[in-house]
Amino acid sequence: MPESKPGFEPETSVDAALSLLRAEGLAGPFACAIVTGTGLGALARGLEEAVSVPYARIPGFPEPGVSGHGGWLHAGLLSGQRVLVFEGRAHAYEAGAAGAMRVPIGVARGLGARSLLLTNASGSLRPEVGPGSLVRLTDHINLSGLNPLIGERSDARFVPMVGAYDPALSAHLHAAAGAAGIPLHAGIYAWFCGPSFETPAEVRMAGLLGADLVGMSTVPEVILGRFYRLPVAAVSVVTNLGAGIGDGDPHHAETKAVAARAGDDLARLVAAYVARRPASEP
Ligand code: HPA
């Protein structure tokens, strides 16, 4: 399975994308770069003084093909802090390659983002953490067999993954959730390639392996964030119970609808998170 097209040089595209975006006035630093998942694009609507560029105009950026995903890069003010919002992501299941978000994450680094906040929609394996819950990711299990760095030639490809979900940013997320009065759970995310939803047996297996959530995204971006030396935090919006858990029988229309509703809580959490800098940040 191709992880990148032959002849595709990601760093050349990162440089070209940075030139274009700087010319559009997107200069850093940014307190954080945020990637929004299915139905969670509402976050971008809360930005002030936003400058927005469609992915289609940016070299090396993917064309997100899932309904519920935009395809816009925004720079603007959130809670008085300058942030980048990547509205929409490409998934490994779209083209069979996990590196589709490599150039956007490289651009986040190149534009001076201090950290990366990833959001997604997921199925929960814990009935008590039902639809509408917000869960901070503590770790992940990559069940896809894919990796965004397959084909990368430099030794930087051997990315260490202990502490991949940055402990200081995690503490900061919990403090923000407390301040905003939003319950925030913590859990381990199992990445399935998709695009079909999991079978009940697969969800049971993920549970036996220690997962709390299942989903089809985010893990490649965590790896890429580490590759580009960006501290990473991730928050999932539970849209359904995993297949076979209780009455869990996920459908895309349901995930989009629940994500859109729970997106308001997520937007408030992110606004509170961005409002204050983590104590440990340089
Ligand atoms: N499985 C995989 N991805 C998902 C799910 C799910 O149950 N819900 C939302 N995204």
Side-chain angles (χ1 to χ4, degrees):
M1 197 174 287
E3 290 301 315
S4 56
K5 295 189 199 105
F8 177 63
E9 292 293 341
E11 295 316 313
T12 307
S13 291
V14 170
D15 289 343
L18 286 172
S19 300
L20 177 124
L21 293 168
R22 286 187 184 121
E24 298 275 338
L26 273 78
F30 294 96
C32 145
I34 304 161
V35 179
T36 65
T38 305
L40 302 173
L43 251 177
R45 246 64 72 209
L47 292 184
E48 290 166 29
E49 298 174 26
V51 177
S52 305
V53 185
Y55 284 7
R57 281 193 49 218
I58 312 175
F61 269 47
E63 288 169 39
V66 189
S67 61
H69 284 261
W72 288 83
L73 173 56
H74 311 273
L77 283 174
L78 182 65
S79 307
Q81 303 285 336
R82 303 198 66 229
V83 297
L84 286 171
V85 177
F86 294 83
E87 184 185 358
R89 55 159 58 90
H91 298 78
Y93 59 70
E94 285 165 51
M101 290 297 284
R102 170 139 179 193
V103 174
I105 306 295
V107 158
R109 169 78 193 184
L111 286 178
R114 279 193 289 265
S115 65
L116 189 60
L117 177 64
L118 305 170
T119 67
N120 67 24
S122 66
S124 170
L125 276 59
R126 291 204 258 139
E128 73 280 13
V129 182
S133 304
L134 299 184
V135 184
R136 171 180 69 78
L137 305 196
T138 58
D139 205 343
H140 69 234
I141 304 172
N142 180 352
L143 294 172
S144 73
L146 302 173
N147 193 292
L149 296 175
I150 293 176
E152 166 63 31
R153 288 184 292 273
S154 73
D155 275 0
R157 64 186 155 184
F158 300 114
V159 170
M161 293 301 288
V162 174
Y165 297 83
D166 187 80
L169 294 184
S170 297
H172 185 60
L173 260 176
H174 277 282
I182 297 170
L184 180 63
H185 304 268
I188 296 174
Y189 178 87
W191 178 33
F192 284 85
C193 178
S196 57
F197 284 101
E198 302 73 33
T199 64
E202 288 167 342
V203 168
R204 277 199 303 281
M205 175 194 73
L208 288 171
L209 294 177
D212 302 292
L213 303 171
V214 290
M216 306 179 196
S217 68
T218 308
V219 166
E221 295 146 33
V222 175
I223 295 167
L224 289 166
R226 302 283 287 169
F227 178 74
Y228 284 111
R229 297 185 311 283
L230 284 166
V232 176
V235 179
S236 194
V237 174
V238 172
T239 55
N240 55 278
L241 293 178
I245 306 272
D247 57 2
D249 180 12
H251 292 84
H252 187 55
E254 174 194 29
T255 43
K256 268 198 308 184
V258 178
R261 286 200 297 276
D264 289 348
D265 275 352
L266 181 73
R268 284 200 302 124
L269 171 61
V270 174
Y273 172 78
V274 168
R276 288 169 298 160
R277 299 267 296 275
S280 63
E281 204 175 74

